[in-house]
Amino acid sequence: MRIAIRIDSKAAQAQLRRWGGEYRDKVKKTVARAMTTQARELKDDVRAHVAGQVAVVKKSFLKGFTAKVLDKNPSRLPALYVGSRIPWAGMHERGGSIGARMLIPLHGRVGRKRFKAQIAELMRGGNAYFIKNKRGNIVLMAENLKEHDRPLSGFKRRYRKAEGIKKLKRGADIPIAVLVPRVVLKKRLNVERLVAGRIPRLAAAMEKSLSAL
């Protein structure tokens, strides 16, 4: 999302073209300072908004959302960037669907890399197989075998907790993940509206700083 503040007045634009040298540098630095102050507050507001709307497991997800001032190009005025370094974060802002088949862990969350490694280990050991349950869902299962205790430990713990089982018997079937044809994500964030609501405050802060020159 890009939000720009433009000067519509022809007189103001003409004055801007006349700016140069030391005065332009002062304007650039003043605008950057005003933006930086607002960026800190905006970053905190965005992260609080995300934390309130999404069940965050890893703090790195929240830290991915940031607001910062871009001011390295000497020929351009500063710009305020608000966004996330996580490429798929926008799916929570707009909603959408992922069409490829995916394995979704059951009974809790697992990190993507860890989940992939655990499934690969179970597959290599021949202790992973698919079944179709009564609802017609394709479920990945594994047996509670001693030689696979390490990759199964987390799955067993979460399964026992979800089903209220104190202890699993050796050889018992454990549902690990469900295979889905697509994943639909609902819109849960409204960062764009939050940022748009802060534009008047940002403009006022810039105007106040410039009036002091």
Side-chain angles (χ1 to χ4, degrees):
M1 178 188 68
R2 293 182 180 180
I3 298 177
I5 300 175
R6 290 183 170 83
I7 300 174
D8 296 326
S9 168
K10 290 184 179 180
Q13 290 180 1
Q15 180 64 40
L16 183 62
R17 286 193 294 270
R18 287 194 294 269
W19 283 352
E22 184 180 351
Y23 188 68
R24 181 180 174 85
D25 290 340
K26 287 182 179 180
V27 170
K28 192 171 183 294
K29 291 177 181 179
T30 299
V31 170
R33 283 196 297 269
M35 282 186 170
T36 300
T37 300
Q38 294 296 313
R40 296 192 193 102
E41 297 178 5
L42 186 55
K43 178 182 66 176
D44 293 339
D45 288 348
V46 169
R47 290 180 179 178
H49 170 69
V50 174
Q53 299 299 318
V54 180
V56 178
V57 176
K58 291 186 176 181
K59 292 183 179 179
S60 58
F61 179 74
L62 279 183
K63 290 181 179 179
F65 290 85
T66 188
K68 59 184 179 181
V69 177
L70 306 179
D71 189 30
K72 292 184 178 181
N73 191 335
S75 63
R76 301 183 65 178
L77 290 174
L80 178 59
Y81 166 83
V82 181
S84 174
R85 63 172 176 264
I86 302 170
W88 46 265
M91 290 288 285
H92 292 297
E93 176 75 15
R94 294 178 292 274
S97 62
I98 303 173
R101 293 195 303 171
M102 297 181 64
L103 268 176
I104 307 298
L106 293 169
H107 312 303
R109 298 190 178 190
V110 186
R112 180 179 61 85
K113 292 182 179 179
R114 183 181 180 187
F115 179 64
K116 184 178 180 181
Q118 290 170 330
I119 296 301
E121 186 172 348
L122 291 172
M123 288 288 189
R124 286 194 301 269
N127 189 21
Y129 52 94
F130 288 98
I131 65 167
K132 181 178 286 189
N133 64 15
K134 295 179 180 179
R135 297 181 179 179
N137 298 321
I138 306 299
V139 180
L140 180 65
M141 308 288 292
E143 286 187 80
N144 182 24
L145 302 177
K146 184 177 181 180
E147 56 268 31
H148 294 110
D149 275 346
R150 186 170 63 86
L152 281 175
S153 61
F155 296 113
K156 290 194 295 183
R157 182 180 66 256
R158 290 186 292 271
Y159 175 57
R160 290 198 312 268
K161 183 178 180 180
E163 298 295 325
I165 301 173
K166 292 184 178 181
K167 187 176 181 180
L168 286 171
K169 295 181 179 179
R170 287 297 182 188
D173 295 325
I174 304 168
I176 294 176
V178 60
L179 183 66
V180 297
R182 65 173 184 164
V183 176
V184 178
L185 296 176
K186 295 181 179 179
K187 174 181 172 62
R188 291 189 286 179
L189 301 178
N190 208 333
V191 175
E192 184 173 346
R193 186 178 66 181
L194 189 154
V195 173
R198 291 294 296 269
I199 292 299
R201 190 187 304 181
L202 173 61
M206 292 167 57
E207 184 178 357
K208 182 179 178 180
S209 298
L210 290 172
S211 65
L213 289 179

